[in-house]
Amino acid sequence: MPAKGFTAVALFLLLIAFAFSANSKEKVLSVGIGPSWPTALWGEDRPTAWNASLSTGITLDRKVSLGASADFLWNQVIEEDVLSQGTSIAQRQQRTFMFPLSAYLSLSPAPDLTVSPIIYTSVGLNTMYYSHEDKSDGDDGDGGINVNGFYMGVIWKVGTEAVMSLSENVSFSARLFYTISKLNKIEKSQGDSKLRRRNMSGFSLMGGLNFYL
């Protein structure tokens, strides 16, 4: 990961730590799920991945919220040949499992509205496992290149959100955001000096619930 990426993540995490140390009357716990369209999956048979998120933090008068979030994105494609009734064999398998950890900041200029707009951003560390196997071609990678393994890099999200109050302590949120994350393969194959990269940047939609504690 570039030094600038490490610095940005460290500064953002320091900001979150400072916010947690301050006195606050309200904490917030958020859960969400929705579809994502990473660039690396464009052109695939199943270009849509699914992303689930769990975050916790503090909110100051519900105008400024800071905290940490853990996401899990997955995409899986399995193509099978039927050998006989009730029996099949997988000819092609492709799996993507991504689990970023990040710190977030959201700003709401008008939290008292029935549906309040929010500006949202987060930055953190992204880790992903990717595997590709095609038995029909005798290929364990893309074009004979071994791309299977773990990838890592910085992740940055920026987007907008609409929050509708359901009760005094619960609200529903709908979020549209863009993710920027280009991940490098951690381990290189023997004799492979080239850098393997997966571009997981793309748009995402997410719906969820916020619980104010």
Side-chain angles (χ1 to χ4, degrees):
M1 185 192 306
K4 291 183 178 180
F6 275 119
T7 302
V9 172
L11 289 175
F12 206 78
L13 292 176
L14 184 62
L15 174 63
I16 298 303
F18 174 78
F20 270 106
S21 66
N23 292 327
S24 177
K25 294 181 179 179
E26 206 166 29
K27 295 182 180 180
V28 59
L29 175 68
S30 302
V31 293
I33 190 170
S36 297
W37 296 274
T39 302
L41 299 180
W42 293 358
E44 297 288 345
D45 296 334
R46 188 174 297 171
T48 301
W50 284 91
N51 184 31
S53 176
L54 174 64
S55 63
T56 181
I58 63 170
T59 177
L60 309 175
D61 297 326
R62 302 195 182 182
K63 293 182 179 180
V64 180
S65 297
L66 305 99
S69 64
D71 289 27
F72 177 62
L73 179 146
W74 69 96
N75 174 273
Q76 182 170 259
V77 177
I78 300 178
E79 297 178 0
E80 299 179 330
D81 286 344
V82 177
L83 301 180
S84 61
Q85 186 175 3
T87 305
S88 61
I89 184 172
Q91 289 292 335
R92 178 176 178 268
Q93 300 182 67
Q94 181 170 293
R95 295 183 174 93
T96 299
F97 302 117
M98 191 172 78
F99 28 96
L101 298 173
S102 57
Y104 72 86
L105 168 67
S106 64
L107 304 175
S108 177
D112 296 330
L113 296 178
T114 303
V115 179
S116 57
I118 289 178
I119 300 172
Y120 171 92
T121 188
S122 70
V123 63
L125 178 65
N126 195 7
T127 306
M128 180 185 72
Y129 176 76
Y130 171 77
S131 67
H132 175 94
E133 181 181 2
D134 193 338
K135 293 183 178 179
S136 63
D137 295 335
D139 183 9
D140 291 334
D142 288 347
I145 300 173
N146 185 12
V147 296
N148 299 339
F150 284 91
Y151 292 69
M152 184 175 289
V154 174
I155 185 170
W156 178 38
K157 297 179 182 179
V158 60
T160 183
E161 186 175 357
V163 174
M164 180 177 65
S165 178
L166 301 179
S167 69
E168 183 179 353
N169 298 317
V170 181
S171 65
F172 171 79
S173 66
R175 182 183 301 169
L176 169 65
F177 60 92
Y178 186 79
T179 298
I180 300 173
S181 187
K182 296 181 179 179
L183 308 178
N184 296 327
K185 190 177 180 184
I186 297 175
E187 296 182 358
K188 298 177 182 178
S189 303
Q190 186 175 1
D192 185 5
S193 60
K194 294 183 179 179
L195 180 66
R196 304 300 168 206
R197 176 172 290 181
R198 296 284 291 173
N199 186 356
M200 298 304 291
S201 303
F203 282 98
S204 297
L205 295 173
M206 183 173 288
L209 293 173
N210 305 313
F211 302 92
Y212 302 97
L213 310 174

